[in-house]
Amino acid sequence: MVSKKPLLIVLVLILLGGTAAGALNYTAGNEDSVTRIFGYDVYRIEGSGNYIIYYPLPNGSIKVLKKGEAGGFFPTFVKVPRQEWIRELSTGEEALYAPPTPLILYVTKDGKLGIKSLTSSRVKLDGEKTLNLKGGVGVQVIGSCPRGWIDFGGRYCLNPQWNLYFESRAKSKTFNEWVSVMGLKIENKVAEEIDFDWDLVLSRSTYSYWTIGIDVGPLTVLSVSKGHRFEGWALDISYQSLGPLTVNSNTWERYLNIKVEYIVAHAKVPAYDKLTRRYVDIEIAQTYPIKIHSTGKYTIWESPTRGIYFTESQGNNPPRITTTPNIWGISKEAEWKRKWISAGSWKSAVYVRQSQSEVFSSSSSLSIPIGYAAGKYLAGINPTLGRLASALSLTFGFHKYMNAASMAEYSVDVKPKKSCYAMYSVLEVKVRTSGPKVSVPLVFGVITDGRSPSPPCDPRTGMCVNSDNDIIG
């Protein structure tokens, strides 16, 4: 007679194994945060296709944490070396800091390439922040791929081992710069007087966002992906004119600068372009603010008689007011909002207010251009990354968190000497494929009659020109 005891043991183990797997999958279904078990992040990666989970390190390298295929029965366990950044950032300095989140780069079976930040255990690959390799972006072409390469039926074919050399070809670099966060330029004496009030509050309710640019020939696909909220000491700045200021020069400029530390990471996916019949790399670049060195509370006045002075200041790395911008350039992807101002009495030229909300939106976010050093670094590697440098920025989201407050307000009133245009820029980014893009403001105002070559866009036509005199918008 055959004993039933071993069979019973096997059945119990199967039952326990299935229960454990089910419990793990339930745990990994967290859509609000990352579940951690014994020091490992637990993800349930849904969808189809292959992925790489990677993480930039303080030494400039990119560490691949996991490679795999989406849609498996068991959750994915990933060891994220956050402590390296926490040690780097938590130096006792009175600053705001937000360690970077891991990133997942993926290619779905239906031909979509995407990248996003991992801030929850449930990860959906399809449909978010993707580039349609079938030709949704770019030109439809008919041609063949190199033998063995993946053909999605569009312009690009991918190397089936696109993830093999990813780690050795991806790099990151950290920059610590004074960067302009707000600015104003008045040209050709179009205004007699101006009055302004700029306010910026960054606190623990400020979130750092990955800004992601994917270069596909003549186009740049921009998206943002939520990172960590900032920890540490807040920054509160108010910069105001003390009564109307006279515009007594042909070009009048003011810029508010703070000291920011941020990551620039770049990677590439090997592809074949059937249109040009060439092997190419799809370049990807990302920026992420990790530290705000300027903290404390500051009230800055600009007086017609006393000039610029602080009436209250306490903190580290006080903000600086300059007459030239500390930026690589306004994003070439930015759209310029225009307003016609007729000559005569005082008028509101530009007013933007960004405040806290539950979600990332056009009224709860702010971007600032990357600094000159970062732009020069990317442009020095290759022309493609130079194009991406001209599109990227540093993005912040203001979200509700306990009793902390974050906001930005930019107000400029003008008494025009002659009819003119008031302009400011917004950056259109994808947060998800469904719904409209989010118009994130970059609050750099220009008040002009359009008779000078320096504005990035002609206010009379709305056409934009870059440094090479190519129309870009």
Side-chain angles (χ1 to χ4, degrees):
M1 183 175 179
V2 179
S3 173
K4 294 182 180 180
K5 190 173 181 181
L7 178 60
L8 182 61
I9 293 173
V10 170
L11 289 173
V12 169
L13 289 175
I14 291 173
L15 179 62
L16 289 175
T19 302
L24 283 172
N25 275 311
Y26 177 80
T27 302
N30 190 343
E31 296 190 55
D32 299 318
S33 61
V34 176
T35 300
R36 295 193 177 98
I37 299 176
F38 301 125
Y40 285 82
D41 288 11
V42 185
Y43 302 109
R44 193 173 83 195
I45 302 174
E46 301 175 349
S48 67
N50 296 315
Y51 66 83
I52 288 179
I53 297 174
Y54 64 100
Y55 195 68
L57 296 176
N59 64 7
S61 65
I62 298 288
K63 183 175 181 61
V64 171
L65 307 179
K66 199 80 171 181
K67 298 179 183 179
E69 185 171 348
F73 177 72
F74 291 98
T76 298
F77 287 76
V78 179
K79 187 78 169 179
V80 181
R82 290 185 183 86
Q83 285 303 122
E84 296 198 29
W85 278 109
I86 292 173
R87 283 194 298 269
E88 185 83 9
L89 298 173
S90 307
T91 57
E93 177 189 3
E94 294 181 357
L96 280 167
Y97 61 91
T101 54
L103 292 158
I104 183 166
L105 175 68
Y106 58 92
V107 178
T108 64
K109 289 183 178 178
D110 61 350
K112 293 175 182 175
L113 184 150
I115 182 171
K116 63 186 296 186
S117 169
L118 293 178
T119 56
S120 66
S121 278
R122 189 178 184 186
V123 184
K124 301 176 183 178
L125 298 192
D126 292 341
E128 290 201 10
K129 304 174 181 67
T130 55
L131 166 66
N132 189 347
L133 296 169
K134 285 186 175 180
V137 177
V139 181
Q140 294 280 355
V141 293
I142 299 174
S144 59
C145 295
R147 178 173 301 214
W149 284 51
I150 305 170
D151 189 350
F152 297 107
R155 176 173 175 176
Y156 293 99
C157 313
L158 289 190
N159 188 320
Q161 296 181 315
W162 62 268
N163 56 8
L164 187 61
Y165 303 105
F166 180 88
E167 192 166 8
S168 62
R169 302 172 79 202
K171 294 198 170 32
S172 70
K173 190 174 177 64
T174 303
F175 294 88
N176 191 347
E177 299 185 84
W178 287 91
V179 179
S180 300
V181 294
M182 296 180 179
L184 175 64
K185 183 177 186 179
I186 300 174
E187 298 183 326
N188 302 329
K189 294 186 179 178
V190 295
E192 293 182 25
E193 295 177 303
I194 63 160
D195 199 357
F196 61 86
D197 184 356
W198 303 348
D199 299 284
L200 178 67
V201 179
L202 303 178
S203 72
R204 298 177 72 195
S205 63
T206 304
Y207 279 72
S208 182
Y209 273 74
W210 283 101
T211 304
I212 301 158
I214 303 176
D215 183 87
V216 279
L219 300 175
T220 301
V221 178
L222 280 180
S223 67
V224 295
S225 194
K226 187 178 180 181
H228 276 294
R229 65 176 176 82
F230 282 90
E231 296 277 3
W233 298 72
L235 171 65
D236 186 335
I237 306 171
S238 177
Y239 174 38
Q240 306 173 37
S241 56
L242 189 60
L245 302 178
T246 301
V247 179
N248 51 18
S249 58
N250 192 54
T251 301
W252 188 98
E253 297 180 73
R254 294 293 186 274
Y255 299 93
L256 171 63
N257 306 271
I258 63 174
K259 195 173 186 182
V260 181
E261 191 170 343
Y262 58 98
I263 298 170
V264 173
H266 53 94
K268 55 187 68 177
V269 176
Y272 178 78
D273 188 340
K274 289 190 287 187
L275 181 66
T276 62
R277 298 181 182 180
R278 294 175 55 196
Y279 292 94
V280 297
D281 285 317
I282 297 176
E283 296 278 3
I284 301 171
Q286 306 114 73
T287 60
Y288 183 87
I290 56 172
K291 200 166 192 175
I292 310 296
H293 290 274
S294 294
T295 54
K297 185 176 177 63
Y298 307 91
T299 302
I300 310 168
W301 297 99
E302 181 162 355
S303 163
T305 56
R306 291 184 59 184
I308 297 170
Y309 65 97
F310 289 69
T311 58
E312 177 185 352
S313 61
Q314 55 187 40
N316 294 330
N317 298 292
R320 297 175 178 176
I321 308 300
T322 60
T323 56
T324 55
N326 294 314
I327 59 176
W328 175 248
I330 300 294
S331 171
K332 71 179 181 66
E333 303 293 320
E335 173 189 344
W336 287 79
K337 301 293 186 181
R338 299 174 294 154
K339 179 180 180 181
W340 174 253
I341 298 176
S342 56
S345 59
W346 280 92
K347 295 181 176 65
S348 173
V350 181
Y351 180 76
V352 179
R353 179 178 172 81
Q354 306 302 103
S355 57
Q356 296 174 172
S357 76
E358 299 290 349
V359 297
F360 188 90
S361 69
S362 297
S363 60
S364 66
S365 54
L366 179 71
S367 275
I368 64 176
I370 62 174
Y372 181 79
K376 186 178 179 181
Y377 163 75
L378 287 172
I381 295 173
N382 65 50
T384 301
L385 285 175
R387 287 196 299 270
L388 282 174
S390 299
L392 294 173
S393 63
L394 306 174
T395 304
F396 302 89
F398 303 144
H399 303 314
K400 294 178 181 177
Y401 178 77
M402 298 180 69
N403 295 322
S406 298
M407 58 86 70
E409 188 169 22
Y410 179 94
S411 175
V412 177
D413 295 331
V414 62
K415 184 179 181 183
K417 183 180 294 185
K418 51 186 176 180
S419 297
C420 55
Y421 293 87
M423 306 162 57
Y424 74 96
S425 52
V426 298
L427 194 61
E428 300 278 354
V429 298
K430 291 173 61 177
V431 179
R432 59 189 63 86
T433 52
S434 60
K437 290 182 178 180
V438 173
S439 300
V440 182
L442 296 92
V443 279
F444 288 80
V446 178
I447 301 176
T448 180
D449 56 6
R451 301 186 183 281
S452 172
S454 56
C457 298
D458 185 335
R460 294 165 292 183
T461 64
M463 302 303 288
C464 305
V465 177
N466 66 13
S467 59
D468 300 322
N469 294 320
D470 297 324
I471 293 176
I472 61 173

